[in-house]
């Protein structure tokens, strides 16, 4: 949804990049960026801003988003903690 603040989008994207690089340190940021873009886009499509604080299945949904992005982009190894 369009109600996400820029700082939240930037924070989610940065967390994704740092987590991915921690798990896969040899992958260049240019390789990881499309995956993180996808993950943030999936989250924004599913959640409204207020949902992050109240949803009980946020971690599960981010795992689903991660799998969706892996399949869509053909990323070989995705982090297991890209939340």
């Amino acid at each position: 949804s369009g109600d996400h603040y820029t700082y939240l989008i930037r924070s989610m994207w940065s967390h994704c990049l740092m987590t991915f690089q921690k798990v896969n340190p040899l992958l260049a940021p240019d390789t990881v960026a499309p995956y993180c873009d996808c993950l943030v886009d999936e989250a924004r499509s599913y959640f409204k801003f207020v949902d992050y604080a109240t949803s009980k299945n946020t971690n599960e949904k981010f795992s689903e988003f991660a799998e969706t992005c892996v399949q869509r982009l053909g990323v070989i190894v995705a982090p297991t903690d890209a939340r």
Side-chain angles (χ1 to χ4, degrees), residues 2-75:
D3 68 342
H4 288 67
Y5 295 103
T6 303
Y7 79 87
L8 178 62
I9 295 168
R10 190 177 297 126
S11 175
M12 286 191 300
W13 198 93
S14 297
H15 184 74
C16 174
L17 179 66
M18 289 185 298
T19 301
F20 208 114
Q21 288 181 318
K22 188 178 201 180
V23 174
N24 303 292
L26 300 179
L27 289 178
D30 291 353
T31 304
V32 181
Y35 171 83
C36 292
D37 290 344
C38 178
L39 191 70
V40 171
D41 287 346
E42 289 292 314
R44 291 176 63 206
S45 295
Y46 184 84
F47 289 110
K48 291 192 180 306
F49 177 73
V50 297
D51 293 339
Y52 294 104
T54 60
S55 178
K56 296 187 186 325
N57 68 342
T58 305
N59 289 344
E60 292 169 15
K61 291 308 295 182
F62 268 87
S63 292
E64 290 176 26
F65 303 153
E67 185 58 34
T68 296
C69 294
V70 166
Q71 291 175 5
R72 183 178 301 151
L73 299 170
V75 177

